[in-house]
Amino acid sequence: MKPLTLVLSMLAFAAVAAEPPQPYGPVPSERQLRWHELQFYGFIHFTVNTFTDREWGLGDEAETVFNPTAFDADQIVRTAKEAGMRGLVLTCKHHDGFCLWPSAFTEHSVKNSSWRNGRGDMVKEISAACRRHGLKFGVYLSPWDRNHKDYARPEYIAYYRNQLRELLANYGEVFEMWFDGANGGDGYYGGAREKRRIDNRTYYDWDNTWKIVRELQPFACMFSDGGPDVRWVGNERGFAGETCWETMTREGLMPGHADPKLLNAGQRDGKDWLPAEVDVSIRPGWFYHAKEDAKVKTPEQLVKIYFESVGRGANLILNLPPDRRGILHENDVQSLRGMRRILDQTFARNLARGAKLTASNVRGGDKAFGPAKLVDGKRTTCWCTDDNVATPELTLEWKKPVPFDVAKIAEDIRLGQRVEEFALDQWKDGAWQEFAKATSIGAERLIRFAPVTTAKVRLRITKSPVCPAISELGLFKQP
Ligand code: FUL
């Protein structure tokens, strides 16, 4: 090609290349985008409670009670990985105040336990195993401390921050910092054995504590009842709202202050990108109790939780409590395997990939925003329409009828949460018939419905304030 022709053809190409639409409403930060990619990770609750058979330790437990007989970080992390988890958050210190690492600021830690003759560091072992197996590592450090003599006084805040620094500076990258909302009450408190109340709006001075996290781990998302990066979903039973917005207004929210209903649904007109995290345990309790060995959630229950958390635009943090050996119990391992098998079989084949896709509108007529982007497996490309087309349609056609009972749809969340309602129809007996509909999409929406067999499906975006930007579409058949 002659230089002039080359330039002209480049100009011609530039003329048809459409620009992406303007983002709508709040958008995720870089650290939130990284967090959204994880979708599913584990929680590890382990402390003296495992050995005293409690859920909330009083703070007066002797360090020597902590003595796992066969602790194996690799068994825990490998099991999590095989279950499809992309990270683990460890209770480095729960409400009882016992530290799983040899903190320089207290004697109440593994260094005075019999485990590894007091030379062990569980935070180090779990975080290192996470790195070995390619999982992210996260930290839970309970603000409430029933062991510390200064709890409820200003001195304790300095102690809490010192520990936060230890954990965030010495154990590599941290993807999430978990701030629990349970606060104050009776406890050991250095021997005082009394009830201590705090005003949780002022006592912790969260703004200054959060600064430490930003300084030491700029990409760690902070979780609490009110963010600042990730919000609690408002229950510990494993479900986000049927409508669950990624947005909510942060102002006035704080750890320990929550309206569970609001957190469960989010706010369509919320001023901040504040996605939900669904925390739930594989057993009734957060810590291991032998009496719950027969109460481990079944694979089917775990799959339901997955659909109602990840499938509603939230992330799922599933708790796996190590037993007194310091490994995950056989029953838990089995359930996780069963869950993984069902999910793998369900999502093995995306039927939308083999379909002919036709959109009622494509932004600027540009292939870069065409329907093929729905099945390219990339969250950063999308089918997008012209600015004035907010409720487009898309059809999928197969040569022969295909059976399916699960749909998956995702938005390009870098452009904000746009769609408010959508529906799916099948071509049956010479007419379109609706078989599924839903509201919020966000990072991901999964819907299960009675099996459909058809050669033609239609996606209708039925309500959206602006043109949609749909990044993924899938149809699947459960085993
Ligand atoms: C709650 C705590 O009180 C539970 O013990 C557990 O750690 C759960 C994840 O958060 O607020």
Side-chain angles (χ1 to χ4, degrees), residues 122-406:
M122 202 155 274
V123 178
K124 190 169 172 186
E125 293 201 30
I126 293 280
S127 60
C130 280
R131 262 190 300 282
R132 267 199 303 284
H133 294 276
L135 268 71
K136 305 271 180 207
F137 175 69
V139 168
Y140 171 114
L141 181 70
S142 171
W144 183 24
D145 188 322
R146 303 173 95 186
N147 172 265
H148 203 272
K149 66 175 177 30
D150 289 329
Y151 182 76
R153 302 188 186 118
E155 291 83 351
Y156 172 76
I157 301 303
Y159 172 77
Y160 185 79
R161 288 180 182 162
N162 282 335
Q163 293 202 319
L164 195 59
R165 284 184 181 279
E166 276 187 311
L167 289 168
L168 298 182
N170 298 322
Y171 297 95
E173 197 199 308
V174 167
F175 84 96
E176 182 166 298
M177 183 64 224
W178 225 89
F179 292 115
D180 197 299
N183 274 306
D186 60 345
Y188 171 71
Y189 303 127
R193 292 188 191 278
E194 60 192 10
K195 197 167 227 146
R196 291 194 180 169
R197 291 195 192 290
I198 51 130
D199 175 354
N200 61 6
R201 286 196 179 273
T202 51
Y203 178 57
Y204 294 108
D205 178 21
W206 283 115
D207 284 340
N208 283 309
T209 299
W210 291 343
K211 276 186 195 149
I212 298 172
V213 183
R214 290 286 192 251
E215 172 202 325
L216 295 172
Q217 296 283 346
F219 288 107
C221 270
M222 287 186 259
F223 166 102
S224 87
D225 295 341
D229 303 305
V230 174
R231 73 177 199 262
W232 183 41
V233 79
N235 68 70
E236 293 178 338
R237 280 168 291 145
F239 65 94
E242 160 67 44
T243 294
C244 182
W245 303 108
E246 311 277 14
T247 49
M248 187 151 167
T249 299
R250 259 186 57 202
E251 208 187 320
L253 299 177
M254 224 181 261
H257 277 270
D259 172 348
K261 263 206 177 126
L262 207 57
L263 290 168
N264 199 240
Q267 291 166 305
R268 177 50 172 154
D269 56 356
K271 291 193 176 62
D272 302 281
W273 190 268
L274 193 62
E277 182 179 280
V278 175
D279 62 322
V280 59
S281 184
I282 194 167
R283 288 163 172 257
W286 291 98
F287 288 92
Y288 175 84
H289 310 287
K291 61 177 177 289
E292 293 179 354
D293 281 350
K295 293 187 178 157
V296 176
K297 290 190 174 68
T298 62
E300 291 72 21
Q301 285 174 309
L302 296 176
V303 167
K304 181 169 187 282
I305 288 172
Y306 186 89
F307 270 86
E308 293 178 357
S309 54
V310 173
R312 291 177 179 174
N315 275 7
L316 169 60
I317 181 166
L318 177 65
N319 181 58
L320 312 173
D323 61 17
R324 288 185 181 177
R325 292 170 294 180
I327 57 175
L328 299 175
H329 189 271
E330 291 72 3
N331 295 2
D332 305 48
V333 174
Q334 270 243 301
S335 256
L336 289 167
R337 286 202 181 128
M339 172 211 69
R340 191 67 254 161
R341 205 175 308 122
I342 297 173
L343 290 175
D344 282 348
Q345 288 175 0
T346 300
F347 295 108
R349 186 158 165 248
N350 182 359
L351 293 161
R353 283 221 170 113
K356 187 180 148 218
L357 306 176
T358 315
S360 63
N361 178 282
V362 169
R363 191 169 183 80
D366 185 351
K367 260 182 154 171
F369 294 103
K373 302 296 173 192
L374 293 170
V375 290
D376 66 357
K378 291 187 197 141
R379 294 279 162 134
T380 49
T381 61
C382 59
W383 165 51
C384 187
T385 56
D386 289 318
D387 282 341
N388 58 344
V389 181
T391 52
E393 294 175 7
L394 176 112
T395 56
L396 301 93
E397 279 176 82
W398 295 267
K399 293 209 173 75
K400 277 192 252 155
V402 290
F404 53 86
D405 52 13
V406 170

